[in-house]
Structures are given as C-alpha cells and as structure tokens.
C-alpha cells in the first residue's frame, strides 16, 4: 500500500524481474536438485559429467516448473517488466572438463526474448568478453 492505494512494485519503478537457479534440467541428480530417476552426478560435477545442455548444445528446461519459457517472458513483458535469466548456473554446474555453450546460450536467450543475463563463476563459461561479443552481435540490448 502506498498512501492507502494498492500499488505494484512496477508502479514504483521496479520493472526488472530475473530468474536464478532452478529452471534448468540437469542430466544427472545433483545435491541441490536430487532426482532418483537420474544417475548421481559424481565429484560434485567437477569431472565434466554434469550439464544442463542437450546434445544439440541448447539449454534443457525443467518443463515441470517452466512449461513454456517464451510464454513466461512474454507475460512479463505484457506486465511492463523486463525479464532476465541466469546462465553458467550452479545447480547443474558445468565445471572442469565440461564443454562450454556460449553461442547456444545466447541464441536461447534471444529466442525466448530475455532482456537481462546473469553470469557468475559457478560453471566454466567465464569468458565475459566472448559473452559480450555474442550478445552485442544480436543487436538486442541486454543488461
């Protein structure tokens, strides 16, 4: 309530919303997201065994939590919000010998209409210059 009137955070200038970990589908059962139907991830994912990318290199999404990512982003946009996501994630940590998927991740962000990206040091895709170059090539501003 602001001055007795119901007010949304967007009306107060908070117009960014961003997802963190938990949207991705891991290929194995990890300590942060145990799944008895998948093999356990050995060595806390540092051996190049864990991934949230499919054979085509595209991110795999937890459809039970996020059945339609593009629709989710579009709904945020319809509410006047900018929508962000998280890459190089911690839950399905792609570390050690895991391959990187910079191009596929940037394309996935573009295909779904995201406006912001969070990248940190959990996975092994640490080349921020390459991230910036690839996002800049799309022509869409991204924060």
């Amino acid at each position: 309530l602001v001055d007795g009137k119901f007010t949304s955070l967007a009306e107060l200038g908070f117009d960014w919303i961003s997802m963190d970990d938990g949207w991705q589908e891991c290929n194995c059962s990890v300590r942060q997201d145990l799944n008895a139907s998948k093999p356990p991830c050995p060595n806390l994912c540092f051996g190049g065994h864990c991934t949230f990318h499919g054979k085509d290199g595209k991110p795999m999404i937890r459809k039970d939590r996020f059945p339609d990512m593009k629709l989710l982003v579009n709904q945020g946009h319809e509410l006047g919000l900018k929508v962000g996501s998280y890459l190089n994630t911690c839950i399905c940590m792609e570390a050690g010998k895991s391959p990187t998927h910079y191009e596929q991740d940037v394309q996935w962000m573009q295909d779904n209409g995201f406006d912001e990206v969070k990248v940190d040091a959990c996975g092994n895709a640490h080349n921020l210059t390459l991230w910036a170059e690839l996002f800049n090539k799309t022509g869409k501003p991204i924060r």
Side-chain angles (χ1 to χ4, degrees):
L1 288 176
V2 174
D3 296 328
K5 176 184 170 222
F6 286 104
T7 307
S8 73
L9 289 173
E11 290 173 309
L12 296 173
F14 296 94
D15 58 354
W16 288 87
I17 188 165
S18 188
M19 295 187 300
D20 207 86
D21 251 339
W23 61 264
Q24 66 278 59
E25 180 74 36
C26 301
N27 70 323
C28 53
S29 181
V30 295
R31 64 187 171 146
Q32 303 97 323
D33 195 11
L34 296 175
N35 184 334
S37 70
K38 295 184 179 183
C41 187
N43 302 324
L44 297 176
C45 300
F46 286 99
H49 304 285
C50 297
T51 186
F52 64 96
H53 290 88
K55 292 186 188 304
D56 60 2
K58 294 180 184 175
M60 299 184 297
I61 301 167
R62 287 276 312 253
K63 295 292 186 178
D64 61 319
R65 294 180 182 169
F66 299 92
D68 190 331
M69 193 66 76
K70 187 169 180 67
L71 178 64
L72 176 77
V73 173
N74 288 341
Q75 287 174 331
H77 289 158
E78 288 171 11
L79 294 170
L81 302 171
K82 301 273 195 288
V83 183
S85 189
Y86 176 41
L87 298 173
N88 210 34
T89 67
C90 289
I91 287 181
C92 305
M93 188 185 305
E94 296 175 329
K97 301 174 187 173
S98 297
T100 56
H101 303 279
Y102 293 99
E103 292 84 2
Q104 295 93 333
D105 287 347
V106 169
Q107 187 61 53
W108 178 80
M109 295 283 292
Q110 293 301 301
D111 291 347
N112 286 289
F114 285 104
D115 307 293
E116 175 193 45
V117 63
K118 171 189 168 185
V119 178
D120 64 18
C122 275
N124 62 354
H126 300 147
N127 187 337
L128 296 180
T129 301
L130 180 56
W131 281 118
E133 288 171 0
L134 292 169
F135 277 114
N136 286 336
K137 279 184 187 177
T138 69
K140 179 183 178 183
I142 193 151
R143 177 171 106 166

